[in-house]
Amino acid sequence: METARKQIFEEQGFVIVPNLIPPESRDALEMAAETVVARTRSGSWKMRRTVGRQFPPFFNEDHPDSWGVQHIMHPDLGEPAFAQWYTSDALVDVIKELLECEEDELQMELFNMLINPESHAFALRWHRDDVREIATVDEERKALDVWHCGVQWNTALYNDSCLYVVPGSHKVPRTPEQWALSSTLDSPDNPMAMPGAVRVTLQRRFTALKQASAAGETVFYNNNILHCATYDPEERRATLHASMGDTRGGATRARNVLQHGLMWMKEERFRETVDERGKKMLDRLIKLQESVNGDVGYSLEN
């Protein structure tokens, strides 16, 4: 199964894996998620993704509606369940398998949460996370050729059908037809109009008695795959949205990761909240932070 999982990830650019939240962690994660969503909606947690801004910097104080919670491992949130799960054996083992790396090469990166907005239905535009929408064929090919040292994932606490991807697009530049639908800042009216698009559905797991037995499935993906997402205020969403890197990539992921503003992760009070595995991953992230000179800029435009 592991060989097949890795093969699917390499060929398609994404793979769905079940059961990465053990039953003993489920309740703590769901309670933590409810707490941080409530704090975000009330305005007491300012680090959020606001409707009207699709990419970093996400925050717009003039817009009250949110579609994401940033930095859910932050010590000011006081929710240790997130960091505990980020460094859990089941999750880390899959990441090592997909990246074909050793544990001492894993680098801590991002951990956020995607939520449903309260009053706005909208879509994120088709994009690759670290390739500009107006990139030429040669620029795309160059960017895609070096993007092998990290993985992003969504883990659904509730059923989630927000993500759309074009399988295999992590390896090749866009076709002219795809470029025409992804080279502006416009969101799609119909994501399935993109040539090759599929909708990714993550389901919550159920027992034979139809009772929810665990939080849902996880999709791991190369985040330079061509993808977009839709957001519906009527559909409850709390999806753990994170990434982890491989130090063999050097600084190739620096802009994509550091643009989110991670200086708080250098504070000792954050370090005290993670386990020994987490501390080693964190040290590698700090080394990446210190290896870049100045402002890394932003990958994409809003």
Side-chain angles (χ1 to χ4, degrees), residues 3 25 46 64 77 109 118 135 170 194 226 249:
T3 301
S25 301
K46 303 294 186 182
L77 280 175
E109 291 188 349
E118 291 189 289
H170 63 302
M194 173 64 72
L226 191 59

Side-chain angles (χ1 to χ4, degrees), residues 44-289:
S44 69
W45 184 249
K46 303 294 186 182
M47 299 181 188
R48 61 190 180 95
R49 301 187 179 198
T50 52
V51 171
R53 299 194 69 85
Q54 299 192 21
F55 309 110
F58 289 111
F59 181 58
N60 177 3
E61 63 182 9
D62 296 328
H63 206 300
D65 210 354
S66 304
W67 61 275
V69 185
Q70 292 291 96
H71 311 312
I72 61 176
M73 292 193 292
H74 199 294
D76 285 350
L77 280 175
E79 297 293 346
F82 295 126
Q84 290 166 5
W85 181 70
Y86 186 90
T87 60
S88 62
D89 288 341
L91 181 61
V92 168
D93 286 347
V94 173
I95 293 168
K96 289 191 295 184
E97 170 200 332
L98 296 179
L99 296 180
E100 293 186 327
C101 71
E102 301 299 325
E103 176 134 348
D104 62 6
E105 294 167 325
L106 290 176
Q107 172 180 284
M108 184 175 286
E109 291 188 349
L110 307 172
F111 197 2
N112 307 308
M113 183 163 55
L114 307 176
I115 64 176
N116 58 288
E118 291 189 289
S119 57
H120 295 79
F122 70 97
L124 303 182
R125 62 183 169 89
W126 282 101
H127 64 282
R128 306 181 191 274
D129 279 4
D130 200 46
V131 184
R132 286 289 171 94
E133 68 281 348
I134 57 173
T136 65
V137 169
D138 287 343
E139 289 170 338
E140 273 196 281
R141 184 176 290 112
K142 181 179 179 181
L144 299 179
D145 284 348
V146 300
W147 206 252
H148 304 293
C149 292
V151 64
Q152 187 159 289
W153 69 91
N154 292 354
T155 298
L157 299 183
Y158 309 102
N159 289 355
D160 187 328
S161 296
C162 295
L163 179 66
Y164 296 78
V165 302
V166 177
S169 61
H170 63 302
K171 298 191 292 186
V172 294
R174 292 165 292 177
T175 67
E177 294 79 12
Q178 291 170 340
W179 196 91
L181 294 175
S182 60
S183 57
T184 72
L185 304 187
D186 297 331
S187 299
D189 293 326
N190 174 18
M192 292 303 294
M194 173 64 72
V198 300
R199 190 175 192 175
V200 177
T201 296
L202 303 176
Q203 297 184 347
R204 195 169 183 180
R205 312 298 291 179
F206 289 88
T207 67
L209 298 178
K210 302 299 182 182
Q211 296 175 325
S213 62
E217 297 170 316
T218 298
V219 58
F220 292 92
Y221 58 104
N222 179 317
N223 63 322
N224 269 342
I225 197 172
L226 191 59
H227 64 287
C228 75
T230 56
Y231 284 77
D232 184 347
E234 302 301 322
E235 294 289 334
R236 185 180 187 183
R237 190 183 197 201
T239 294
L240 306 176
H241 179 60
S243 69
M244 197 175 290
D246 173 354
T247 57
R248 293 175 298 176
T252 56
R253 294 174 61 81
R255 180 176 64 180
N256 182 69
V257 175
L258 301 181
Q259 66 180 335
H260 287 257
L262 303 182
M263 294 305 293
W264 60 271
M265 297 176 82
K266 298 180 74 171
E267 298 176 10
E268 185 62 28
R269 65 196 186 104
F270 170 63
R271 185 180 185 84
E272 292 172 353
T273 68
V274 297
D275 59 18
E276 286 305 309
R277 170 184 275 167
K279 287 180 173 65
K280 293 175 181 178
M281 290 184 189
L282 177 60
D283 287 342
R284 298 176 198 120
L285 172 65
I286 292 173
K287 184 176 180 180
L288 173 68
Q289 289 175 315

